[in-house]
Amino acid sequence: MPDDLYASLGPGVRAQLVAEVSVPLRGAVRLLTDGFLAVPCAREVMVLDRALRVVSRFPVPEELARRYREPDGDIRVDVSPDHRWAVLAGTERMMVVDSTGRVAWRTTYPTFGDAGGDAVPACGVFSSDGSELWAFVPVLGPYADENWVDDAERWVVRMSDSQITGRAESRYRGTTDIIASPDRSRLGFAYFDGHAADGSWTAWHDNVESAPVRGRWFPLDVSPDGRHWLGGTWHDVVVGDFAGSEIRLNEDGRWDHWEFTEGACFVDQKQVLVAGRHDGEKSRHLLLRTDTLEPIGPVAYPEQFPGEQEGGFVRGLGDGTWLTMHIPGYERPAEGRIRRWATC
């Protein structure tokens, strides 16, 4: 790729390493409240602070860990704000455990399938005060068969006594993880039919799901103040607000020859980080202005970290720093790595 192409996007923005940690990483890091991170590892879920230090651990029960060590055994995780509970949602079962591994609640269900027929996990999210778990689970609807689960519900689990206090239909179908706004008042996810994404930011009132914002994109992140959302497709990046307005990176076709990955996040209120590549070349990380999506410039990582700019897994911490992740796969989880970056 010619250097002058990146030069046309603005001066390079130098990145400096803030912290790093090697972990047996099995999936993408999930951002929690107050800057903590839930890190799904081979046999446990670790909670890290912003300095990438371990502050809590939750063992993965063996009945989930056995599947977790297989290629299609992915688990989605969330941790309650007080770090008392972790929810582990797999393709066939969901469990809530404490730091000793004691199981506080569990359920089993039929399996979601993606557009290609592959099994995908369900998802659980804790409320902002940790008093409830919202378990998004597959259920057998009227058109389900052995290869397709066509319905889903949100179950409200009261954590004080592990009782289900509500059940309601949900649009969630397991295609993506659930992205939560900082106050957990809105949840984002998408359905993908093999041709186009149907993204949705939902809100719940009296146990009824509404979709105040919908579009043909995958939800990716929510800004630190909770006012704006970030979405994307393979050929576009979209920033909107929950009042309904949005701007698109590729509105004028300028980015037609670019391909974007699911790696995109708010670095802070004013900057968005995206991972993209031009005409099939190697991916690069680009910083964009949140309010206009105009390029600030490509990110230049230190020379001793040549692979960071190609990574599609990124998370923004909202304070001007961001994470890159190396997720080596189920066969070599011990090679996992997380690095935190800031601009120079």
Side-chain angles (χ1 to χ4, degrees), residues 144-292:
D145 60 31
E146 62 181 8
N147 298 314
W148 188 258
V149 177
D150 69 331
D151 214 343
E153 293 179 341
R154 184 188 78 150
W155 298 358
V156 179
V157 182
R158 186 171 57 208
M159 292 309 303
S160 61
D161 58 6
S162 299
Q163 295 299 305
I164 298 175
T165 62
R167 297 173 65 154
E169 183 180 356
S170 173
R171 295 181 179 87
Y172 184 66
R173 293 296 184 272
T175 302
T176 66
D177 200 353
I178 290 179
I179 307 296
S181 63
D183 63 0
R184 307 250 163 161
S185 64
R186 294 182 176 91
L187 305 178
F189 50 82
Y191 175 76
F192 180 64
D193 63 4
H195 301 283
D198 180 12
S200 178
W201 292 100
T202 67
W204 288 84
H205 301 286
D206 297 326
N207 205 31
V208 175
E209 182 184 63
S210 63
V213 179
R214 299 184 70 177
R216 298 174 72 84
W217 32 254
F218 293 95
L220 299 175
D221 199 8
V222 180
S223 62
D225 63 3
R227 295 181 179 180
H228 293 86
W229 53 264
L230 177 66
T233 66
W234 293 274
H235 299 291
D236 208 355
V237 176
V238 187
V239 171
D241 62 39
F242 292 104
S245 66
E246 64 180 47
I247 57 174
R248 310 186 73 91
L249 177 64
N250 201 29
E251 189 73 44
D252 57 3
R254 175 184 176 187
W255 299 81
D256 280 348
H257 294 283
W258 286 77
E259 179 181 345
F260 300 102
T261 74
E262 62 184 18
C265 62
F266 288 99
V267 174
D268 53 28
Q269 294 292 126
K270 298 181 178 180
Q271 300 178 97
V272 170
L273 179 72
V274 303
R277 60 181 182 176
H278 181 269
D279 277 342
E281 296 289 343
K282 291 183 178 179
S283 291
R284 292 288 299 269
H285 290 174
L286 309 174
L287 280 175
L288 310 174
R289 288 183 52 176
T290 299
D291 57 349
T292 64

Side-chain angles (χ1 to χ4, degrees), residues 78 86-87 94-96 105 123-127 130-136 154-159:
D78 194 27
V87 59
M94 187 182 306
M95 308 173 75
V96 176
W105 181 81
C123 192
V125 180
F126 287 100
S127 62
S131 64
E132 294 178 341
L133 169 72
W134 303 331
F136 291 81
R154 184 188 78 150
W155 298 358
V156 179
V157 182
R158 186 171 57 208
M159 292 309 303

Side-chain angles (χ1 to χ4, degrees), residues 12-188:
V13 180
R14 292 176 57 200
Q16 61 180 345
L17 184 65
V18 177
E20 67 177 316
V21 63
S22 295
V23 290
L25 195 59
R26 183 62 174 83
V29 168
R30 183 175 181 86
L31 298 182
L32 306 176
T33 55
D34 300 324
F36 291 97
L37 321 167
V39 180
C41 298
R43 294 185 176 273
E44 63 182 354
V45 174
M46 298 192 300
V47 177
L48 308 184
D49 62 14
R50 288 177 181 262
L52 305 187
R53 297 172 299 202
V54 178
V55 297
S56 301
R57 298 175 184 268
F58 298 90
V60 176
E62 181 58 26
E63 60 190 284
L64 271 175
R66 285 197 302 270
R67 291 283 290 115
Y68 205 21
R69 293 192 289 269
E70 299 174 4
D72 61 348
D74 287 345
I75 295 177
R76 289 174 174 149
V77 306
D78 194 27
V79 175
S80 62
D82 59 3
H83 299 176
R84 183 179 180 186
W85 310 107
V87 59
L88 315 168
T91 56
E92 302 162 346
R93 67 192 69 234
M94 187 182 306
M95 308 173 75
V96 176
V97 300
D98 65 14
S99 60
T100 70
R102 182 180 70 87
V103 178
W105 181 81
R106 75 173 73 206
T107 190
T108 59
Y109 36 75
T111 301
F112 279 132
D114 63 15
D118 295 324
V120 292
C123 192
V125 180
F126 287 100
S127 62
S128 60
D129 61 2
S131 64
E132 294 178 341
L133 169 72
W134 303 331
F136 291 81
V137 299
V139 295
L140 295 175
Y143 302 105
D145 60 31
E146 62 181 8
N147 298 314
W148 188 258
V149 177
D150 69 331
D151 214 343
E153 293 179 341
R154 184 188 78 150
W155 298 358
V156 179
V157 182
R158 186 171 57 208
M159 292 309 303
S160 61
D161 58 6
S162 299
Q163 295 299 305
I164 298 175
T165 62
R167 297 173 65 154
E169 183 180 356
S170 173
R171 295 181 179 87
Y172 184 66
R173 293 296 184 272
T175 302
T176 66
D177 200 353
I178 290 179
I179 307 296
S181 63
D183 63 0
R184 307 250 163 161
S185 64
R186 294 182 176 91
L187 305 178

